[in-house]
Amino acid sequence: MANACVLMRTRLVSRVVTGIYDQELRPFGLNSSQFALLVVIAQLGPSTRAEISRYHHQDRSTLTRNLQVMLNQGWIEEALEGSSGRGRSIVLTKSGRDLLHAVVPAWRAGQAQAKITIGQSGVVAIRQIADGIMNMPERA
């Protein structure tokens, strides 16, 4: 079962790749989950927690815990401007934008190491799988 289990294999890859990025981002007081959320928030612009959760395919309770850390660090804020009636929008602060800019060399180092670790065919496969997931209709 272990050799054929998709769950076990994907979690192994996830732990290894996450560890690579965590090591590179650690000097900035940032982990890979927080980095990914910062990138998503920067990409989406002002968005509610629900919108970020759907885009990031993350349950709301996990998202809320991660966002709280980022709010406490001052990397994001809840904005009244641009908010819908469904909740306040989350936006990057100047500190969050500056952090994203500062971590680019660390991210590049993580990218290079991850590509070496999983190989070119692994990179292509992960991109194809992720693209397919991003294009899937939402589950109810």
Side-chain angles (χ1 to χ4, degrees):
M1 184 184 323
N3 288 335
C5 182
V6 174
L7 171 65
M8 291 179 69
R9 295 299 176 144
T10 56
R11 289 186 56 83
L12 171 65
V13 172
S14 177
R15 285 190 304 273
V16 169
V17 171
T18 296
I20 290 167
Y21 285 95
D22 281 347
Q23 181 178 342
E24 295 297 333
L25 296 168
R26 190 171 293 118
F28 297 90
L30 188 67
N31 67 35
S32 57
S33 296
Q34 295 160 347
F35 171 78
L37 272 175
L38 283 174
V39 171
V40 165
I41 294 166
Q43 181 177 359
L44 292 177
S47 302
T48 64
R49 291 170 190 256
E51 291 166 336
I52 295 166
S53 176
R54 279 191 301 273
Y55 183 87
H56 203 54
H57 290 261
Q58 190 170 44
D59 70 83
R60 298 262 325 254
S61 62
T62 301
L63 177 69
T64 296
R65 282 192 304 275
N66 288 329
L67 290 177
Q68 190 58 54
V69 170
M70 296 164 62
L71 283 162
N72 292 343
Q73 291 293 330
W75 301 330
I76 60 172
E77 64 186 0
E78 292 181 301
L80 293 175
E81 184 178 304
S83 294
S84 69
R86 299 181 191 182
R88 294 182 178 194
S89 291
I90 304 289
V91 296
L92 288 183
T93 61
K94 180 181 181 327
S95 176
R97 288 187 304 275
D98 291 347
L99 178 61
L100 270 181
H101 179 73
V103 301
V104 168
W107 173 80
R108 284 188 180 130
Q111 280 283 100
Q113 186 58 47
K115 286 178 178 181
I116 290 167
T117 301
I118 63 174
Q120 185 59 34
S121 62
V123 171
V124 169
I126 288 172
R127 284 184 180 154
Q128 289 173 339
I129 293 165
D131 288 347
I133 290 169
M134 298 294 286
N135 293 319
M136 287 173 50
E138 287 185 41
R139 292 182 293 172

